[in-house]
Amino acid sequence: MELRTLRYFVAVAEELHFGRAAARLHMSQPPLSRAIRRLEAEVGAALFDRSPVGVALTPAGSVLLDEARALLDRAEQARVRAASAAGAATVTVGVLGDGTDPGAVRLAREYRRRHPHVEVRVREADLTDPTCGLRAGTVDVALTRGPFDETGLAVRELRADPVGALLRADDPLADRGALTPADLADRRWFRFPEGTDPLWRFYWSGGEPREGPVVRAIRECRQAVLWSGTVGVTPLDHEPADGLTVVPLIGMAPSRVLVAWAAGDRSPLVRSFVRIATAAYRG
């Protein structure tokens, strides 16, 4: 029973969808399906119930999932200990946004518990770089939000957050139950500087060209709204500052919380970070 096959199995078990698991593993679906069938033959039992409506774990699959996670955790621990012995026990994490996110707090606690001798260096990025330094090579792994150009990067979605319009509390639209981007079409929005990733700029402008102040940090976004009545987009569960409110914004895709790293990076510290992040954000 190979560790690679167990990783394939865990991905399918967590996604409960072969297509999403294949995308997560950066492979096509047919070889993934073949690997799972070989694993089922090796175990001697069906691991998934497959039906037109989806995929579900069988009782044998549930047992194997617990065992597979434990085996993969032990393998990661062995690689990290070897890296530590070689003097490579440092990982630099780029972060974007609110470091008090419950998922990030669980991740930090669990990573420290599992790897107490690893030095974790944190680099906080501003809103002009959604890769948090990955492209510049200043970080090993990033906790960020999409969308952005993923060329040369590996990305895993951790959560999808509904978004809202950030408004002054006394704004005429503040008491609405929900808004659409069209409701805000004639308003000034905060914008990111020229040269910022186009996919990133397009999403946070509600999919339209906008006029308004240029900002680079979350605090600047809030101040633009508070002082100038600018509007913008923010995750719906973010606590607004005094004098501000958030109204649900419909018609926009959720904001995807992501962990990203350089494609092909086989560092045990990064691989362990990604695995722990996936579990921590699953809650």
Side-chain angles (χ1 to χ4, degrees):
M1 193 176 294
E2 297 182 354
L3 290 178
R4 178 187 299 177
T5 305
L6 291 179
R7 289 192 188 95
Y8 292 173
F9 165 72
V10 169
V12 177
E14 290 179 346
E15 298 292 341
L16 292 178
H17 190 281
F18 277 84
R20 288 195 299 268
R24 167 173 156 180
L25 295 163
H26 304 285
M27 63 189 298
S28 60
Q29 187 171 335
L32 174 60
S33 298
R34 289 194 294 270
I36 297 300
R37 286 196 295 270
R38 287 194 298 269
L39 180 60
E40 289 177 320
E42 186 176 354
V43 172
L47 301 174
F48 296 101
D49 284 326
R50 301 161 175 86
S51 73
V53 298
V55 176
L57 281 167
T58 63
S62 296
V63 170
L64 183 60
L65 179 58
D66 290 340
E67 296 293 338
R69 283 173 171 161
L71 284 169
L72 292 171
D73 283 346
R74 286 197 288 272
E76 291 293 347
Q77 289 279 6
R79 278 190 283 265
V80 170
R81 284 196 295 271
S84 299
T90 300
V91 62
T92 303
V93 181
V95 297
L96 183 77
D98 188 359
T100 62
D101 184 304
V105 172
R106 288 193 297 268
L107 166 58
R109 182 173 60 242
E110 185 63 12
Y111 199 82
R112 174 57 53 194
R113 186 185 72 80
R114 295 195 191 190
H115 307 307
H117 303 298
V118 173
E119 180 182 354
V120 180
R121 299 172 181 170
V122 177
R123 177 185 180 274
E124 185 172 349
D126 65 28
L127 298 175
T128 66
D129 179 17
T131 75
C132 302
L134 276 176
R135 295 231 181 272
T138 57
V139 302
D140 302 305
V141 63
L143 280 174
T144 184
R145 290 181 180 271
F148 50 81
D149 180 6
E150 298 178 6
T151 304
L153 304 178
V155 173
R156 182 173 299 177
E157 181 176 313
L158 301 175
R159 195 180 65 219
D161 292 338
V163 295
L166 183 65
L167 305 170
R168 281 172 49 133
D170 61 357
D171 191 288
L173 299 177
D175 60 355
R176 297 274 290 271
L179 296 167
T180 69
D183 293 325
L184 304 168
D186 61 344
R187 301 289 296 272
R188 287 168 55 82
W189 291 48
F190 50 69
R191 299 178 298 126
F192 300 135
E194 293 292 333
T196 303
D197 185 289
L199 294 175
W200 176 254
R201 294 178 68 197
F202 183 79
Y203 176 83
W204 291 105
S205 69
E208 299 288 344
R210 305 289 182 181
E211 295 295 328
V214 173
V215 297
R216 293 173 173 80
I218 291 175
R219 286 185 180 179
E220 291 180 6
C221 296
R222 293 171 176 164
Q223 292 302 319
V225 177
L226 186 63
W227 287 88
S228 303
T230 306
V231 302
V233 180
T234 186
L236 191 58
D237 64 353
H238 275 195
E239 189 70 25
D242 288 345
L244 302 179
T245 191
V246 179
V247 178
L249 192 57
I250 59 177
M252 277 191 64
S255 170
R256 299 165 60 227
V257 181
L258 307 172
V259 58
W261 65 103
D265 188 341
R266 307 299 292 176
S267 163
L269 298 174
V270 171
R271 290 179 62 177
S272 183
F273 187 96
V274 173
R275 284 181 50 79
I276 295 171
T278 302
Y281 276 81
R282 197 167 53 236

